[in-house]
Amino acid sequence: MNDRIRTDIAHNARVWNYWLGGKDNYPVDRAVGDQVTGFYPSIGEVARADRAFLGRAVTHLAADAGVRQFLDIGTGLPTADNTHEVAQRVAPDARIVYVDNDPIVLTHARALLTSAPEGVTEYVDADAHDPEKILAAAGATLDLSRPVAVMMLGILNFVLDTDEARSIVRTLMDAVPSGSHLVLTHPTLEPELGGEGNKAAMAFWNENATPPITARSRAEFASFLEGLDVLEPGIVSCARWRPVSAEACTVAQFGAVGRKP
Ligand SMILES: C[S@@+](CC[C@H](N)C(=O)[O-])C[C@H]1O[C@@H](n2cnc3c(N)ncnc32)[C@H](O)[C@@H]1O
């Protein structure tokens, strides 16, 4: 086993996999996952809504916005409908770079490297706190002079300092041209999304699991999109971003897509 993998403390990538119904997790992840669900019963729904948002956003970007390059940071363990599968269903020549810093995601990364022959997928083991390293590595696969969809789904919540999180986003978006997009999801405590229940769940998480997490307000989330044209319907519960069904629920996870003008 990779000696970076710790089975004595719950890891976000593995607990997220558990909530999504995956098998790549350990007893400690399932125990903490169940305890968090006790505090915040809709957490599984949040995880599923986040992935469904990913599917709709990537489909829109590939099919309607003509984006052919995706930089998916904090990608998580491989699951159904990974970014390259969604994008290459529309555009087999799409190029995808996945980034995560969790050692177990690295050991499963080959499952993400199943590109259509016309396109490319690559995996980079890097930390979101180091956007320059990510850009340097991504530049080996992506042409950063052409539009890129920078995807940060459920990851800025692990950058605890909001100024630093903004600076990471700015560094990434400054490195890509007009026509590039930023795709975001982020948990919140905002009552308008029913987020109050997240508070105890996050406090429990921060005492029992890794890495530590934070929620953000609507205003903080909006600040990540500053300077971008936010696509319709704006900043909403990710479940309500262009839902396929009129019966979409509301989960306490903001979702939005911004286009660099
Ligand atoms: C909540 S999961 C989201 C996975 C996927 N983006 C999704 O929306 O389904 C967060 C992922 O971010 C990764 N992550 C957390 N902190 C990170 C960091 N500092 N650098 C890179 N990846 C990180 C975790 O390992 C995990 O795979």
Side-chain angles (χ1 to χ4, degrees):
M1 189 191 293
N2 180 324
D3 59 12
R4 281 169 59 199
I5 295 176
R6 289 188 55 186
T7 55
D8 58 329
I9 182 162
H11 272 228
N12 176 261
R14 302 180 325 219
V15 179
W16 191 250
N17 169 267
Y18 174 56
W19 287 328
L20 286 170
K23 302 251 177 292
D24 300 317
N25 45 71
Y26 296 98
V28 68
D29 305 310
R30 297 190 281 279
V32 166
D34 287 343
Q35 283 163 303
V36 171
T37 306
F39 287 109
Y40 187 52
S42 55
I43 188 70
E45 220 176 312
V46 172
R48 289 188 294 278
D50 178 281
R51 294 301 304 183
F53 165 85
L54 179 152
R56 298 193 301 280
V58 170
T59 300
H60 164 73
L61 292 174
D64 307 323
V67 175
R68 292 293 176 267
Q69 305 193 98
F70 296 82
L71 177 55
D72 184 348
I73 303 174
T75 184
L77 280 155
T79 178
D81 281 343
N82 301 297
T83 296
H84 75 284
E85 290 158 333
V86 178
Q88 291 183 345
R89 213 173 282 148
V90 176
D93 58 336
R95 304 173 78 81
I96 290 88
V97 173
Y98 290 111
V99 181
D100 207 289
N101 73 340
D102 193 296
I104 198 137
V105 181
L106 176 64
T107 66
H108 287 262
R110 67 185 175 284
L112 295 169
L113 304 179
T114 55
S115 177
E118 300 90 332
V120 178
T121 67
E122 196 48 79
Y123 183 82
V124 174
D125 180 26
D127 194 308
H129 293 87
D130 192 352
E132 285 87 2
K133 177 180 171 184
I134 290 173
L135 288 165
T141 303
L142 307 180
D143 177 352
L144 299 182
S145 69
R146 298 174 63 81
V148 177
V150 176
M151 301 176 48
M152 302 192 86
L153 276 64
I155 167 124
L156 286 173
N157 36 276
F158 297 114
V159 178
L160 301 183
D161 184 275
T162 302
D163 288 337
E164 185 183 5
R166 260 194 297 269
S167 154
I168 290 167
V169 170
R170 201 161 305 128
T171 300
L172 294 166
M173 295 312 292
D174 281 352
V176 293
S178 165
S180 293
H181 289 73
L182 177 65
V183 185
L184 289 182
T185 61
H186 200 299
T188 185
L189 305 182
E190 294 278 10
E192 57 158 320
L193 270 64
E196 304 95 321
N198 257 332
K199 197 168 183 181
M202 285 190 177
F204 177 84
W205 176 270
N206 287 341
E207 280 173 20
N208 295 281
T210 190
I213 193 165
T214 190
R216 290 204 165 90
S217 67
R218 173 178 279 278
E220 288 168 327
F221 182 82
S223 74
F224 299 139
L225 293 149
E226 256 165 38
L228 305 178
D229 298 330
V230 179
L231 305 191
E232 289 297 326
I235 296 170
V236 291
S237 170
C238 65
R240 295 191 173 275
W241 194 91
R242 306 187 183 195
V244 183
S245 151
E247 287 154 29
C249 57
T250 292
V251 295
Q253 179 99 332
F254 282 122
V257 181
R259 181 185 185 280
K260 185 168 175 175

mmCIF file of all heavy atoms in Angstrom, residues 103-122:
data_model
loop_
_atom_site.group_PDB
_atom_site.id
_atom_site.type_symbol
_atom_site.label_atom_id
_atom_site.label_comp_id
_atom_site.label_asym_id
_atom_site.label_seq_id
_atom_site.Cartn_x
_atom_site.Cartn_y
_atom_site.Cartn_z
ATOM 1 N N PRO A 103 -3.564 10.513 -1.829
ATOM 2 C CA PRO A 103 -2.813 9.367 -2.360
ATOM 3 C C PRO A 103 -3.704 8.256 -2.895
ATOM 4 O O PRO A 103 -3.314 7.549 -3.823
ATOM 5 C CB PRO A 103 -1.998 8.895 -1.154
ATOM 6 C CG PRO A 103 -2.624 9.528 0.040
ATOM 7 C CD PRO A 103 -3.264 10.787 -0.420
ATOM 8 N N ILE A 104 -4.909 8.117 -2.352
ATOM 9 C CA ILE A 104 -5.740 7.019 -2.862
ATOM 10 C C ILE A 104 -6.306 7.360 -4.237
ATOM 11 O O ILE A 104 -6.506 6.488 -5.077
ATOM 12 C CB ILE A 104 -6.852 6.616 -1.864
ATOM 13 C CG1 ILE A 104 -7.378 5.229 -2.231
ATOM 14 C CG2 ILE A 104 -7.980 7.595 -1.858
ATOM 15 C CD1 ILE A 104 -7.592 4.350 -1.068
ATOM 16 N N VAL A 105 -6.526 8.648 -4.474
ATOM 17 C CA VAL A 105 -6.976 9.031 -5.822
ATOM 18 C C VAL A 105 -5.863 8.716 -6.820
ATOM 19 O O VAL A 105 -6.119 8.183 -7.906
ATOM 20 C CB VAL A 105 -7.385 10.524 -5.869
ATOM 21 C CG1 VAL A 105 -7.863 10.899 -7.266
ATOM 22 C CG2 VAL A 105 -8.488 10.815 -4.846
ATOM 23 N N LEU A 106 -4.623 8.984 -6.416
ATOM 24 C CA LEU A 106 -3.477 8.675 -7.281
ATOM 25 C C LEU A 106 -3.439 7.180 -7.629
ATOM 26 O O LEU A 106 -3.241 6.812 -8.783
ATOM 27 C CB LEU A 106 -2.188 9.095 -6.568
ATOM 28 C CG LEU A 106 -0.872 8.774 -7.259
ATOM 29 C CD1 LEU A 106 -0.755 9.526 -8.584
ATOM 30 C CD2 LEU A 106 0.313 9.140 -6.357
ATOM 31 N N THR A 107 -3.687 6.323 -6.627
ATOM 32 C CA THR A 107 -3.599 4.881 -6.914
ATOM 33 C C THR A 107 -4.728 4.411 -7.836
ATOM 34 O O THR A 107 -4.611 3.373 -8.463
ATOM 35 C CB THR A 107 -3.617 4.015 -5.628
ATOM 36 O OG1 THR A 107 -4.888 4.161 -5.013
ATOM 37 C CG2 THR A 107 -2.525 4.398 -4.660
ATOM 38 N N HIS A 108 -5.815 5.180 -7.886
ATOM 39 C CA HIS A 108 -6.937 4.791 -8.754
ATOM 40 C C HIS A 108 -6.943 5.583 -10.060
ATOM 41 O O HIS A 108 -7.871 5.455 -10.859
ATOM 42 C CB HIS A 108 -8.271 5.009 -8.029
ATOM 43 C CG HIS A 108 -8.528 4.000 -6.951
ATOM 44 N ND1 HIS A 108 -9.318 2.888 -7.132
ATOM 45 C CD2 HIS A 108 -8.057 3.926 -5.690
ATOM 46 C CE1 HIS A 108 -9.336 2.174 -6.019
ATOM 47 N NE2 HIS A 108 -8.583 2.789 -5.127
ATOM 48 N N ALA A 109 -5.907 6.412 -10.251
ATOM 49 C CA ALA A 109 -5.967 7.360 -11.364
ATOM 50 C C ALA A 109 -6.030 6.681 -12.722
ATOM 51 O O ALA A 109 -6.569 7.248 -13.668
ATOM 52 C CB ALA A 109 -4.770 8.303 -11.301
ATOM 53 N N ARG A 110 -5.500 5.464 -12.823
ATOM 54 C CA ARG A 110 -5.520 4.823 -14.148
ATOM 55 C C ARG A 110 -6.956 4.683 -14.676
ATOM 56 O O ARG A 110 -7.181 4.702 -15.876
ATOM 57 C CB ARG A 110 -4.783 3.491 -14.143
ATOM 58 C CG ARG A 110 -5.434 2.427 -13.314
ATOM 59 C CD ARG A 110 -4.604 1.155 -13.255
ATOM 60 N NE ARG A 110 -5.207 0.192 -12.364
ATOM 61 C CZ ARG A 110 -5.142 0.276 -11.016
ATOM 62 N NH1 ARG A 110 -4.495 1.275 -10.440
ATOM 63 N NH2 ARG A 110 -5.737 -0.634 -10.270
ATOM 64 N N ALA A 111 -7.923 4.580 -13.742
ATOM 65 C CA ALA A 111 -9.326 4.489 -14.171
ATOM 66 C C ALA A 111 -9.804 5.797 -14.793
ATOM 67 O O ALA A 111 -10.852 5.841 -15.430
ATOM 68 C CB ALA A 111 -10.216 4.126 -12.983
ATOM 69 N N LEU A 112 -9.022 6.871 -14.586
ATOM 70 C CA LEU A 112 -9.377 8.160 -15.190
ATOM 71 C C LEU A 112 -8.654 8.353 -16.525
ATOM 72 O O LEU A 112 -8.883 9.329 -17.219
ATOM 73 C CB LEU A 112 -8.980 9.314 -14.263
ATOM 74 C CG LEU A 112 -9.713 9.391 -12.928
ATOM 75 C CD1 LEU A 112 -9.028 10.395 -12.017
ATOM 76 C CD2 LEU A 112 -11.165 9.782 -13.161
ATOM 77 N N LEU A 113 -7.768 7.414 -16.836
ATOM 78 C CA LEU A 113 -6.901 7.618 -17.999
ATOM 79 C C LEU A 113 -7.363 6.771 -19.174
ATOM 80 O O LEU A 113 -6.577 6.166 -19.881
ATOM 81 C CB LEU A 113 -5.445 7.316 -17.617
ATOM 82 C CG LEU A 113 -4.938 8.137 -16.417
ATOM 83 C CD1 LEU A 113 -3.505 7.774 -16.064
ATOM 84 C CD2 LEU A 113 -5.040 9.630 -16.700
ATOM 85 N N THR A 114 -8.672 6.736 -19.341
ATOM 86 C CA THR A 114 -9.272 5.905 -20.382
ATOM 87 C C THR A 114 -9.841 6.803 -21.470
ATOM 88 O O THR A 114 -11.007 6.711 -21.814
ATOM 89 C CB THR A 114 -10.383 5.032 -19.779
ATOM 90 O OG1 THR A 114 -11.316 5.918 -19.109
ATOM 91 C CG2 THR A 114 -9.831 4.053 -18.762
ATOM 92 N N SER A 115 -8.981 7.658 -21.983
ATOM 93 C CA SER A 115 -9.431 8.637 -22.968
ATOM 94 C C SER A 115 -9.896 7.978 -24.263
ATOM 95 O O SER A 115 -9.375 6.937 -24.665
ATOM 96 C CB SER A 115 -8.270 9.579 -23.281
ATOM 97 O OG SER A 115 -8.640 10.494 -24.276
ATOM 98 N N ALA A 116 -10.843 8.649 -24.924
ATOM 99 C CA ALA A 116 -11.116 8.308 -26.324
ATOM 100 C C ALA A 116 -9.816 8.526 -27.100
ATOM 101 O O ALA A 116 -9.037 9.416 -26.757
ATOM 102 C CB ALA A 116 -12.223 9.218 -26.865
ATOM 103 N N PRO A 117 -9.581 7.722 -28.153
ATOM 104 C CA PRO A 117 -8.296 7.831 -28.866
ATOM 105 C C PRO A 117 -8.069 9.222 -29.471
ATOM 106 O O PRO A 117 -6.929 9.659 -29.603
ATOM 107 C CB PRO A 117 -8.391 6.761 -29.954
ATOM 108 C CG PRO A 117 -9.791 6.266 -29.946
ATOM 109 C CD PRO A 117 -10.428 6.634 -28.655
ATOM 110 N N GLU A 118 -9.134 9.922 -29.786
ATOM 111 C CA GLU A 118 -8.985 11.258 -30.401
ATOM 112 C C GLU A 118 -8.562 12.312 -29.382
ATOM 113 O O GLU A 118 -8.101 13.387 -29.741
ATOM 114 C CB GLU A 118 -10.316 11.722 -31.015
ATOM 115 C CG GLU A 118 -10.872 10.825 -32.099
ATOM 116 C CD GLU A 118 -11.794 9.737 -31.553
ATOM 117 O OE1 GLU A 118 -11.627 9.322 -30.372
ATOM 118 O OE2 GLU A 118 -12.677 9.281 -32.307
ATOM 119 N N GLY A 119 -8.776 12.041 -28.066
ATOM 120 C CA GLY A 119 -8.488 13.038 -27.030
ATOM 121 C C GLY A 119 -7.370 12.571 -26.122
ATOM 122 O O GLY A 119 -6.601 11.669 -26.457
ATOM 123 N N VAL A 120 -7.290 13.199 -24.952
ATOM 124 C CA VAL A 120 -6.238 12.860 -23.984
ATOM 125 C C VAL A 120 -6.806 13.016 -22.580
ATOM 126 O O VAL A 120 -7.599 13.945 -22.345
ATOM 127 C CB VAL A 120 -5.036 13.845 -24.089
ATOM 128 C CG1 VAL A 120 -3.973 13.510 -23.045
ATOM 129 C CG2 VAL A 120 -4.423 13.851 -25.460
ATOM 130 N N THR A 121 -6.419 12.138 -21.647
ATOM 131 C CA THR A 121 -6.599 12.458 -20.229
ATOM 132 C C THR A 121 -5.258 12.261 -19.530
ATOM 133 O O THR A 121 -4.484 11.373 -19.880
ATOM 134 C CB THR A 121 -7.672 11.599 -19.512
ATOM 135 O OG1 THR A 121 -7.230 10.257 -19.455
ATOM 136 C CG2 THR A 121 -9.017 11.673 -20.181
ATOM 137 N N GLU A 122 -5.000 13.120 -18.557
ATOM 138 C CA GLU A 122 -3.746 13.052 -17.814
ATOM 139 C C GLU A 122 -4.082 13.276 -16.344
ATOM 140 O O GLU A 122 -5.110 13.894 -16.017
ATOM 141 C CB GLU A 122 -2.801 14.145 -18.339
ATOM 142 C CG GLU A 122 -1.358 13.975 -17.940
ATOM 143 C CD GLU A 122 -0.824 12.557 -18.171
ATOM 144 O OE1 GLU A 122 -0.504 12.213 -19.319
ATOM 145 O OE2 GLU A 122 -0.757 11.807 -17.179
#
